[in-house]
Amino acid sequence: LSVDTLQFLLFLYIQQVNKVSLRRSLIGEEWPSPKAKSPSLTGKSVGENKNWNDQDHCTFMQNHLLDMLELLLEPEQLTASSRSTHSSLVSHEAVCALSFLIEGAVNKSRTVRPLHELALWQPCHGQNGYSKVSRAFSFHKLERWLRSCLTTNPFGMTACLKSGKKLAWAQQDEGTTRRAKIACNTCVVPEVFPMVIMSQVYKQTLAKSSDTLVGAHVRIHCCNKSFIYLLSPLRSVTIEKCQNSTFVLGPVQASVHVHSCDNVRVIVVCHRLSLSSTTGCTFYVLTPTQPLILLGNQAVSFAPFHTHYPMLEDHMAQVGLATLPNYWDSPMLVCNESGDMNVFCLLPPSDFYTFVIPFEMEGDTTETPGGLPHAYQKALSQREKNVQIWQKTVREAGLTKDQRKQFQMLVESKFYEWLVQTGNRQQLDSLVPPAVGSKQTAG
């Protein structure tokens, strides 16, 4: 395995986009802020999370373009103080590395091309200073050309919510749910992976298996007390600033990244799982790579993938995922700032229950792909045995008709109390189909 050195340098450099300002702490704002305000995603700057703001991305590139270009120069093109000169040349390899961050189109074409292809286009040579002899670009001409052409991403997250298709997947009946925003940019992007954004879904169960989701980059943001089922093959998923929610995802071809979440459950088959700044989260996962535990996590639990739906194995085949190898129980602790190795644990088999997806679909999958590890399967079998013993005890108790009725009422009452205490009542209530005429759209 390897990475391009110049691209890796740029990757490290752009981590500064979320750099905390010490100056802000002097004017009374909390620093560092563990719970930054949530962004509106509509262009109004109400939050401080720059991951979701395309204008912040563009501003960062404009402000730091000179430094990034100098970072990519060969040593002989730099002065003793590591600065560029009037005659500095930028190599073709360096411009290829910049394609990691910049892409574009010619004359408002819908065909998106990487930067190095655009830079080598003959009509642009006069502006960016490309020389066929040296196969390099004039540093200062290239910088001026890039600066004059840079604009915000027209297919990014902000643009998706502004000009994308609004999807009324969430119910809009209650006042508390009117702020939910769900949008897809399929109608405005060229032939690339579409993006679906779900923000501020509150106290709802949302379930979709849709062509809109197939191969999509899904961004889930600021959802609370919700159950979200996205049962289609996905490209990638980011779950950010969510609380007290359950996410059941179809197979994810690339990565699932969970950031700044509290008390969420994620159930997924994916190529890569990574998490940062999470607290009290549980991951039921099937993955051929080690889950990455980045900075700021507390009380993380991992468990084997424990559910299925009829199209699951077909969807796994579509994204190229199999049941082996499976490294759900071998997470990798990356950059542990405290040295505490107790950031995560494996879920005890005694706390393990299978998860039932309560929807009917066409398909052939009837059990959890790959089965369960022996210890977890044994715990389930013992629990089923206990239920059978209980049922036998009730049958052989010799209760009269009135006693059976009284006993049934007692059991139902205790079960109802348990539903309320655990919050499962909300999940069951939200599974009731919406009333005819409620605001829903297909897609």
Side-chain angles (χ1 to χ4, degrees):
L1 298 177
S2 64
V3 294
D4 181 272
T5 305
L6 297 180
Q7 286 189 15
F8 187 58
L9 282 173
L10 291 175
F11 173 77
L12 294 176
Y13 188 88
I14 63 172
Q15 305 310 307
Q16 297 179 81
V17 73
N18 286 313
K19 185 168 60 177
V20 177
S21 171
L22 289 172
R23 187 179 304 161
R24 290 185 179 181
S25 66
L26 299 178
I27 59 176
E29 295 185 19
E30 181 183 3
W31 183 89
S33 174
K35 299 291 181 185
K37 297 177 182 178
S38 302
S40 69
L41 304 180
T42 57
K44 298 178 182 179
S45 182
V46 299
E48 299 182 15
N49 189 335
K50 298 179 182 179
N51 288 338
W52 292 77
N53 195 315
D54 300 312
Q55 183 58 54
D56 280 334
H57 297 171
C58 185
T59 300
F60 179 86
M61 291 296 296
Q62 290 277 8
N63 292 342
H64 297 84
L65 182 60
L66 179 64
D67 290 339
M68 283 189 281
L69 285 173
E70 289 182 337
L71 189 66
L72 300 176
L73 286 178
E74 297 292 336
E76 61 268 18
Q77 301 292 333
L78 294 167
T79 66
S81 58
S82 298
R83 308 303 298 188
S84 62
T85 67
H86 184 71
S87 59
S88 293
L89 297 177
V90 181
S91 68
H92 176 257
E93 290 75 19
V95 177
C96 287
L98 272 174
S99 297
F100 171 62
L101 299 177
I102 304 173
E103 59 187 9
V106 177
N107 297 330
K108 298 184 179 180
S109 166
R110 282 177 59 86
T111 302
V112 177
R113 301 185 184 279
L115 173 63
H116 64 274
E117 290 187 12
L118 299 174
L120 290 177
W121 191 47
Q122 181 69 40
C124 293
H125 291 178
Q127 300 172 60
N128 60 36
Y130 179 71
S131 168
K132 290 183 178 180
V133 177
S134 63
R135 292 190 76 245
F137 299 81
S138 164
F139 181 93
H140 293 289
K141 281 191 174 182
L142 179 65
E143 186 207 358
R144 284 198 299 270
W145 177 65
L146 289 174
R147 203 176 290 280
S148 67
C149 296
L150 275 177
T151 184
T152 56
N153 182 2
F155 313 126
M157 287 172 275
T158 306
C160 178
L161 281 173
K162 280 186 175 180
S163 56
K165 178 184 178 183
K166 303 299 185 292
L167 302 172
W169 289 356
Q171 294 301 306
Q172 303 292 320
D173 300 331
E174 303 174 26
T176 56
T177 66
R178 290 177 184 170
R179 59 189 177 185
K181 301 180 183 70
I182 303 176
C184 178
N185 63 2
T186 307
C187 58
V188 295
V189 300
E191 296 300 319
V192 295
F193 294 111
M195 179 185 297
V196 175
I197 294 180
M198 306 171 62
S199 180
Q200 301 180 69
V201 178
Y202 179 65
K203 281 190 174 181
Q204 294 192 56
T205 291
L206 190 157
K208 275 290 173 182
S209 180
S210 163
D211 289 342
T212 303
L213 288 169
V214 175
H217 295 284
V218 179
R219 303 289 181 261
I220 304 174
H221 175 260
C222 281
C223 296
N224 190 11
K225 296 182 180 178
S226 294
F227 296 85
I228 295 177
Y229 301 78
L230 303 179
L231 306 181
S232 295
L234 309 171
R235 173 64 180 171
S236 70
V237 178
T238 299
I239 303 173
E240 189 165 352
K241 294 192 175 181
C242 295
Q243 297 179 343
N244 309 309
S245 297
T246 296
F247 303 96
V248 185
L249 307 174
V252 180
Q253 183 176 9
S255 62
V256 175
H257 182 63
V258 182
H259 176 69
S260 292
C261 292
D262 296 337
N263 191 33
V264 303
R265 283 191 300 175
V266 179
I267 303 170
V268 65
V269 179
C270 63
H271 179 73
R272 168 77 71 193
L273 171 68
S274 61
L275 45 143
S276 59
S277 302
T278 66
T279 301
C281 298
T282 304
F283 300 90
Y284 299 83
V285 62
L286 191 166
T287 176
T289 60
Q290 291 179 272
L292 298 180
I293 304 177
L294 308 177
L295 293 177
N297 299 284
Q298 299 178 37
V300 177
S301 297
F302 291 94
F305 185 74
H306 65 331
T307 191
H308 65 274
Y309 60 92
M311 287 295 292
L312 176 57
E313 289 174 310
D314 288 339
H315 290 168
M316 288 174 63
Q318 287 183 44
V319 299
L321 290 173
T323 57
L324 293 174
N326 184 7
Y327 292 107
W328 70 270
D329 56 350
S330 304
M332 181 184 295
L333 206 55
V334 182
C335 302
N336 185 12
E337 70 274 29
S338 66
D340 182 8
M341 300 301 291
N342 297 320
V343 172
F344 73 92
C345 69
L346 301 184
L347 188 73
S350 57
D351 296 335
F352 180 79
Y353 296 82
T354 53
F355 187 89
V356 177
I357 295 177
F359 306 104
E360 293 183 354
M361 298 170 64
E362 297 292 329
D364 300 324
T365 303
T366 57
E367 59 185 17
T368 301
L372 295 172
H374 175 71
Y376 293 89
Q377 185 60 60
K378 183 179 179 181
L380 291 181
S381 300
Q382 183 60 50
R383 201 174 291 128
E384 291 174 2
K385 185 177 179 181
N386 292 341
V387 171
Q388 293 171 0
I389 293 173
W390 166 255
Q391 291 173 338
K392 182 180 179 182
T393 302
V394 172
R395 283 196 305 269
E396 296 176 353
L399 299 178
T400 64
K401 185 176 181 180
D402 288 341
Q403 287 175 326
R404 282 181 175 274
K405 185 175 181 180
Q406 185 178 0
F407 182 67
Q408 182 178 351
M409 291 175 60
L410 177 62
V411 171
E412 289 178 353
S413 174
K414 291 296 183 181
F415 178 61
Y416 183 80
E417 288 179 13
W418 176 82
L419 285 175
V420 173
Q421 291 171 0
T422 59
N424 286 318
R425 182 190 172 191
Q426 176 214 333
Q427 183 182 11
L428 289 176
D429 289 346
S430 62
L431 289 173
V432 177
V436 177
S438 64
K439 187 178 179 183
Q440 285 277 305
T441 63

